[in-house]
Every structure is written in structure tokens, then in C-alpha cells.
Amino acid sequence: MTKATQTPVPRTPRGQRAKHDTATPKKSTPKPKPTPKATPKAKADEPKTPKDKQKLSTDSAPSAKRRKKTDGDLESRVFFNSRLNAHEADTEQFQPTREDRQLYDAARSAAALEEAKVTGCAVDASTPASTPGAVSVGYRVKKIRIGSYEIDSWYISPYPDEYSRHPLLYICEFCLKYMKSSYTYTRHCQKCTLRHPPGDEIYRDGSISVFEVDGRKNKIYCQNLCLMGKMFLDTKTLYYDVEPFLFYILCEYDARGYHFAGYYSKEKRSVQGYNLSCIMILPSKQREGYGKLLIEFSYLLSKKEGVSGSPEKPLSDFGLLSYRSYWRRAVYEILLHVGKRARVVTIDAVSRKTGMTVDDVISTLQTDGMLQRKGVSYAIVVDKARIERFVELAREKAPRRIDSSKLRWAPFLTKNTTVVQEDDGDISV
């Protein structure tokens, strides 16, 4: 590693100064200042602020809206990269005239008449279709196609307008989705993976099954169910508020799946003690005993809960006939069974045995003339021969009955009750 050598600085003798010390420094001559350029004087009408400039430009420049277009201006301008000439770019010539409006109204009137032939709605041909009120809003689905059945509707159901305009509606028998064309229905049947209602199967007896579906968990399915039920129920008013209800779906089972046959619904927390809100059996499945089967099933659940139940009032005409027939059969069977063990039968005992309310038991006995007044109180007068004949005729028809041993169900709300059966056949709670 080599060290850098430094050149020695010569030392001057005493009394002599170094040359660089005696030399006088050169005076720096100051640079001449640049002469400012003469700025032109501002004109009197020149704006001094940006706002004044903007105001001046808007006042001085002619407005584009007010300026009339001349042929020279249109020809000099370029429209859509010179793809359109001035004549083609002028939109003022395309304003609809009176003749155009007449042709448009005539076309709409012809389309409305053609649609009315399909939907069956009345149309006022004298009123132009472009004015409101030309076509009546009374659209109605006349038929539904569910499974292999094509069923006529009884009442108007509030389906969306785009579906109500079609006289035939297609409904999947598994997921209850409604469609307005046969092509969409066929494609849906090929893709639908659901083969049973989206709930718990709580009862099965042979080919008959009952599913419990919660309206809060399966909202779309229950809404579709209510819309279809409104076609056959005149007194039904709720279609979309399904969360407070439980739905019990009756199905027929085969190799393809569980086919819809009917249903009934009930409130989860009924203040009046109703065990059934509405019941509907498809017209294609009626006259097979399914209505009374679901009614008996609703009372079986009431007995499992330890309470007495009653259907929601008012009942429809068909519902009232079905309930009176079931009440008569249930009360007669209890009177015939308990009467063999004890000579005295109370209304409370019949109510607890059947799951019916006391009012329904009294109504059934009064209708058949079996409740007579004796002094201050009332007594049940039983015609044993009449009851035995009625029960024998009912058994000869071989109606569908519920087997309570095949029920797999826990109540939604439990009640702390203790049921004790006595020797005379009476029940005390």
C-alpha cells in the first residue's frame, strides 16, 4: 500500500510577503440588470378576473342552441367519423307525425284484440290501446297442469301479471314452481332434483306420507303452495306471509317420488287454539277420503300436544261438510266405545277423547238431536241402535284412517300436562 506524496510548499523569508498576498483582488463588475419588457397596457374592456373572462366569453360567443344551422355548417361538420352525411344526421325529419301515431294505435289495438282472444278478457275496440283502460285487468288462469293432470281453476289467484295473462299454467308437482310455457316446464322437470316436499316426513302408512314444512325455513315453497291453494279456496286471504305457519303436505309415494295430493296449514302460536287454518285437496284427488284423513291427522297432533283444537272459522262450504261428517263419526265412535263401560258419559270426556273442543261436541250433538234439556241441566240421550248402524255403514266404505303408532313427531310447542285414563273410560287432565 503506497502513501500519497505531498509536494512541499516553499516558505518565504521574513519581511517579505507572498506574491499572492500583495496582489490586489480584482473588482467584480456588477452584471447589468435586465431591462423589463414593456407590457402592453390593458384595454379598457379586457376582463381582469377569470369570472369576468368566462362572462365575457359567454356573452360574446353566440349560443349553439340559438344559432340556426345553415346548409354550409352542416356540410362542413363531420358525423360519426364521416359515416353519415348531413342529411342522414339530421334528426328533425324523424319526428312522428299524426299519421304515424294513427298507425301505431291501430297496431296496438290489433295486438290487444289478439291477446284478448287468448286470455278471454273483454276489450273495448273503440278505445285506442295507447290510452289507459283499453284492456281490462281481469286476467285469470283458467287451468293448471300439475303432474299428469290438467285441472280447471275455481277462483282467481294473485299470480304475477306476466303469468296471469296465460290461460294455462304449468306447476311442478315436487317443488311447486309455476311456469307459463310447456317448453320451460319440460326443461324444468328434467333438471329438478327435488322428489319430496322440503320438510320432515312425520308419517308414512303404505303409499301415503305426510311432511311437515316450516314456512320460515322454506318460504318460496310455501308461497307457491298458497298461490295454488287460492285457486280452489274462496276464503283464503294470506299468500305471502307464510312465516308464522306450519304446513302439512299429503303425498302419494311411488318409484318416481312423492306426488302432491293436498295440504293443510296451522299457526305456530294460535291464541284461539286453532289446529287448522286452511285445508285443500286437489280436485283430481278428491272423493278418495284424503280430506277426512287430514282432519283426523290434525286432531291426532292436538292430542299429542295435550290440547283440544278446532278449525279456523269461517269454514268453506266443502270444509263444513267434511268437518260435520268427521265430527259425527268421531263422536259416535266414542259414545259407542265408552257406553259399553259406563252408563254416564260427559261432554268433557268426549272432548278429551277426540281432541275436539267442547263447543264442537255440543254442536254435533245438537245437530243430531242427542242433547236434550232436563230441568235446569242438559243430558246426552244416546240411541244405541242408531249409533251402531251409522258406525257399521261407515266401516263398510273402508275409509282411510290414521294409524297413531306410525306417527314420528314432536310438538312445536309443548305443554306440561298429565293424562290419566280411568277404569270407566273417562279421562281427567
Side-chain angles (χ1 to χ4, degrees):
M1 185 173 182
T2 59
K3 294 182 179 181
T5 58
Q6 296 181 357
T7 57
V9 180
R11 302 183 65 177
T12 57
R14 293 182 181 181
Q16 295 182 3
R17 292 185 178 180
K19 295 181 179 180
H20 60 274
D21 291 339
T22 57
T24 58
K26 297 181 180 179
K27 293 182 180 181
S28 60
T29 58
K31 295 181 180 181
K33 294 182 179 180
T35 58
K37 295 180 180 180
T39 57
K41 293 184 179 180
K43 297 181 181 179
D45 57 347
E46 185 177 359
K48 299 181 180 179
T49 60
K51 292 184 178 180
D52 296 337
K53 290 182 180 180
Q54 184 178 4
K55 183 177 180 181
L56 180 61
S57 61
T58 55
D59 292 341
S60 60
S63 177
K65 296 182 179 179
R66 299 176 183 175
R67 185 174 54 189
K68 295 182 179 180
K69 298 179 181 180
T70 62
D71 296 339
D73 294 338
L74 288 175
E75 292 177 0
S76 60
R77 295 178 60 185
V78 178
F79 301 96
F80 296 98
N81 295 329
S82 301
R83 294 183 180 180
L84 298 179
N85 55 29
H87 180 71
E88 294 173 344
D90 189 9
T91 59
E92 292 182 357
Q93 58 181 337
F94 299 108
Q95 295 293 332
T97 61
R98 182 178 298 179
E99 296 179 357
D100 297 334
R101 293 184 181 276
Q102 291 177 356
L103 292 175
Y104 176 74
D105 291 337
R108 287 203 59 179
S109 299
L113 290 173
E114 185 178 356
E115 185 179 2
K117 293 179 182 179
V118 178
T119 58
C121 300
V123 177
D124 187 6
S126 62
T127 307
S130 59
T131 59
V135 182
S136 63
V137 196
Y139 297 111
R140 172 186 171 183
V141 178
K142 296 183 178 180
K143 294 182 180 181
I144 61 171
R145 173 74 180 275
I146 178 170
S148 58
Y149 298 95
E150 191 170 302
I151 307 171
D152 295 333
S153 63
W154 298 352
Y155 306 101
I156 298 176
S157 182
Y159 280 100
D161 292 340
E162 57 178 322
Y163 295 91
S164 299
R165 294 174 181 267
H166 295 266
L168 178 61
L169 209 61
Y170 298 86
I171 299 178
C172 177
E173 60 180 336
F174 298 112
C175 67
L176 302 185
K177 180 181 179 181
Y178 48 89
M179 291 148 280
K180 54 188 178 182
S181 66
S182 59
Y183 176 77
T184 308
Y185 174 72
T186 304
R187 293 285 294 171
H188 173 80
C189 293
Q190 295 174 356
K191 298 178 181 179
C192 185
T193 58
L194 199 63
R195 286 296 175 265
H196 59 81
D200 300 327
E201 185 179 13
I202 61 176
Y203 180 83
R204 182 189 291 184
D205 186 6
S207 61
I208 303 300
S209 296
V210 179
F211 288 80
E212 183 183 50
V213 181
D214 193 345
R216 184 180 63 85
K217 297 180 181 179
N218 304 278
K219 190 173 181 179
I220 302 299
Y221 178 88
C222 297
Q223 287 178 352
N224 295 341
L225 178 62
C226 292
L227 287 174
M228 183 179 63
K230 182 62 180 72
M231 290 184 171
F232 311 103
L233 296 174
D234 188 20
T235 58
K236 186 172 181 58
T237 57
L238 293 177
Y239 322 107
Y240 298 103
D241 187 17
V242 297
E243 296 182 2
F245 292 89
L246 292 172
F247 296 84
Y248 296 90
I249 316 300
L250 178 66
C251 299
E252 293 180 343
Y253 174 75
D254 61 6
R256 292 182 57 247
Y258 295 83
H259 305 274
F260 178 85
Y263 84 100
Y264 84 90
S265 63
K266 73 170 185 178
E267 291 184 87
K268 298 176 183 178
R269 299 175 181 267
S270 179
V271 180
Q272 294 83 2
Y274 295 142
N275 64 351
L276 186 143
S277 296
C278 69
I279 181 172
M280 189 274 292
I281 305 296
L282 283 179
S284 58
K285 300 296 181 181
Q286 292 180 1
R287 311 294 296 177
E288 297 185 17
Y290 286 145
K292 292 180 182 178
L293 186 73
L294 285 180
I295 293 174
E296 185 179 1
F297 187 81
S298 66
Y299 281 107
L300 175 61
L301 299 188
S302 297
K303 288 189 286 185
K304 286 286 186 179
E305 292 176 343
V307 296
S308 58
S310 178
E312 186 175 343
K313 310 300 189 302
L315 291 170
S316 61
D317 296 336
F318 289 101
L320 184 60
L321 292 175
S322 299
Y323 263 96
R324 281 182 176 175
S325 178
Y326 171 77
W327 286 340
R328 183 179 290 110
R329 186 185 71 183
V331 171
Y332 280 12
E333 288 178 352
I334 294 300
L335 291 177
L336 187 62
H337 176 72
V338 178
K340 295 179 180 179
R341 297 186 178 184
R343 296 181 59 86
V344 179
V345 180
T346 62
I347 294 178
D348 291 336
V350 177
S351 174
R352 287 190 288 268
K353 276 281 190 178
T354 58
M356 299 165 52
T357 60
V358 175
D359 295 337
D360 293 338
V361 175
I362 293 175
S363 175
T364 303
L365 295 175
Q366 285 180 341
T367 303
D368 295 345
M370 302 177 64
L371 192 63
Q372 298 180 4
R373 183 172 183 177
K374 291 185 177 181
V376 184
S377 61
Y378 289 85
I380 301 176
V381 180
V382 178
D383 188 354
K384 190 174 181 180
R386 176 186 174 184
I387 293 177
E388 289 178 352
R389 185 167 56 255
F390 179 85
V391 173
E392 286 295 330
L393 289 175
R395 290 175 179 174
E396 288 178 0
K397 296 179 181 179
R400 299 179 183 270
R401 303 299 299 269
I402 292 292
D403 187 358
S404 59
S405 63
K406 298 181 179 180
L407 179 66
R408 301 293 183 269
W409 178 77
F412 185 79
L413 296 175
T414 58
K415 183 178 180 181
N416 295 328
T417 57
T418 304
V419 180
V420 180
Q421 184 167 359
E422 299 178 355
D423 296 337
D424 58 354
D426 195 1
I427 294 180
S428 60
V429 179

